[in-house]
Amino acid sequence: MNSPLAPATPQWRYNVVHETRYSYQNMVTLSQQLLHLTPRDLPFQKTETHHLLIDPAPDDSADSQDYFGNNIRRLTITTPHKMLLVRAESTVALGPRPDSTGIRGSLPWESLRDLLKQSRQADMLDAGRYLYESPHVRWTAALRDYAQPSFTPGRPLLDAAMELTERIFDDFEFDGGATDISTPLEQVLAGRRGVCQDFAQLMIGGLRSLGLPARYVSGYLQTHPPEGQPRLIGADASHAWVSVFCPELGWVDFDPTNRCLVQREHITIGWGRDFSDVTPMRGVVLGGGAQELQVNVTVTPLTPAQPPAPPQPAAQPPGQMQTPVPLPGQPV
């Protein structure tokens, strides 16, 4: 079941620019890339426009969907190059999701755990895909023990998930230099530091270790400057959060990095079991040698009737979600 919303009557609109630039020491003779840069259309989200600029232009390019229904673009570039630019620009309209009042009264968390073992309904079977271990999220006693205090006997599922979201925010420090994409969750849990992808995967691991399905959501977040400071172009980020399955409401999203129930400032690109299923850009290159990566993200709020204005990319601030760097001749 999905949250009720008529996408034709959005309440909030955003223009999103995500620019990725690779600079190589030597010439690249072949580049094959898989992109997750096109927002999904959902009951609460409608993609109004979407454009991709790729330089050098690909020799072959095809749009399709992956196993999870996310929009993907596959491309092959054979033109020799020392710089690769991928610029995605989208206009997205959002509608309301369930708020804190709307998620009250969900079924006890143990009831869902037990239902998943018995039910053959389509939504239950779909949720089961996000119940098991994945490349970056393992079942561990440590993750279960961390999540368990929020999931007391008979407690409503979404009430417990909200408390776990808040506890992760309170217990962990955002530190862009503490981890990378290969850091195991055990190290994140022990060090109590990380970035959005770490906190999302930590929460997912805790939920799955209790027998509850949870999926990793990738997208964007509009950020806000300190009070009295101007809002800077380029100050936004690729972001990650968690979606929890609830039979009454469908999938409900929580953001442990920002201690909140996801509402009107999160723009969804896609979801999977963990980060590896929905990386913004991954692939293989031949040649290149040493490389430098620059990622710029700009989320510009629009009024419902305002067309998107051409954004001006700026440097991404430190501490954002890590982006995998393809090594010459190796998959990411």
Side-chain angles (χ1 to χ4, degrees):
M1 181 184 302
N2 291 312
S3 307
L5 170 71
T9 57
Q11 295 191 14
W12 308 281
R13 294 175 69 244
Y14 296 92
N15 181 247
V16 181
V17 175
H18 184 160
E19 185 174 279
T20 304
R21 186 186 302 267
Y22 283 102
S23 299
Y24 300 99
Q25 181 182 28
N26 303 316
M27 199 69 70
V28 171
T29 57
L30 172 67
S31 178
Q32 294 181 314
Q33 302 291 335
L34 172 66
L35 312 181
H36 282 100
L37 292 172
T38 306
R40 291 186 71 136
D41 282 329
L42 303 165
F44 51 82
Q45 176 173 295
K46 178 180 175 63
T47 303
E48 297 180 341
T49 65
H50 177 72
H51 304 286
L52 276 172
L53 171 65
I54 301 165
D55 184 20
D59 302 274
D60 183 55
S61 179
D63 293 315
S64 60
Q65 291 186 335
D66 64 13
Y67 172 76
F68 304 99
N70 302 313
N71 301 309
I72 60 174
R73 170 77 64 91
R74 299 180 187 273
L75 56 93
T76 300
I77 302 170
T78 60
T79 302
H81 57 278
K82 296 184 71 173
M83 185 276 292
L84 173 61
L85 171 67
V86 177
R87 186 179 189 272
E89 180 169 5
S90 306
T91 304
V92 179
L94 302 182
R97 306 189 190 206
D99 58 16
S100 58
T101 301
I103 67 171
R104 291 176 184 169
S106 58
L107 82 171
W109 69 271
E110 305 100 324
S111 298
L112 174 60
R113 179 196 61 194
D114 296 340
L115 278 172
L116 287 163
K117 299 175 183 178
Q118 307 166 5
S119 177
R120 292 297 178 264
Q121 295 181 1
D123 58 346
M124 292 288 186
L125 293 174
D126 176 74
R129 295 190 291 175
Y130 306 95
L131 183 59
Y132 303 102
E133 290 186 322
S134 58
H136 293 278
V137 179
R138 304 295 185 185
W139 287 347
T140 68
L143 290 172
R144 183 193 63 228
D145 292 345
Y146 179 79
Q148 188 71 72
S150 298
F151 289 82
T152 52
R155 189 172 191 184
L157 167 69
L158 298 181
D159 181 47
M162 189 70 246
E163 182 181 296
L164 180 58
T165 300
E166 294 168 346
R167 284 178 49 219
I168 292 173
F169 177 88
D170 293 340
D171 292 348
F172 291 77
E173 182 175 346
F174 190 97
D175 183 349
T179 62
D180 57 36
I181 61 173
S182 63
T183 303
L185 288 180
E186 292 81 3
Q187 183 175 329
V188 176
L189 186 60
R192 300 296 172 106
R193 309 170 79 87
V195 295
C196 59
Q197 73 184 39
D198 299 311
F199 304 151
Q201 292 181 154
L202 179 80
M203 182 171 172
I204 289 168
L207 291 163
R208 291 180 186 167
S209 295
L210 292 171
L212 301 172
R215 63 192 187 191
Y216 180 101
V217 187
S218 176
Y220 306 106
L221 172 66
Q222 181 197 357
T223 57
H224 298 276
E227 186 175 356
Q229 298 295 317
R231 187 172 184 280
L232 301 177
I233 298 298
D236 302 296
S238 294
H239 194 49
W241 58 96
V242 178
S243 200
V244 178
F245 178 71
C246 173
E248 301 100 317
L249 295 173
W251 292 92
V252 180
D253 290 7
F254 298 85
D255 183 351
T257 304
N258 291 288
R259 203 178 191 270
C260 69
L261 180 69
V262 170
Q263 293 289 287
R264 66 182 192 183
E265 294 180 339
H266 291 67
I267 298 158
T268 302
I269 289 290
W271 53 70
R273 299 163 302 166
D274 60 37
F275 173 75
S276 64
D277 285 331
V278 67
T279 53
M281 181 173 171
R282 63 185 299 171
V284 295
V285 299
L286 295 180
Q291 56 192 293
E292 294 183 0
L293 170 66
Q294 181 181 9
V295 180
N296 304 321
V297 177
T298 302
V299 181
T300 305
L302 307 172
T303 63
Q306 179 184 352
Q312 300 176 6
Q316 184 182 18
Q320 308 303 343
M321 182 168 60
Q322 297 102 348
T323 301
V325 179
L327 300 177
Q330 296 292 327
V332 180

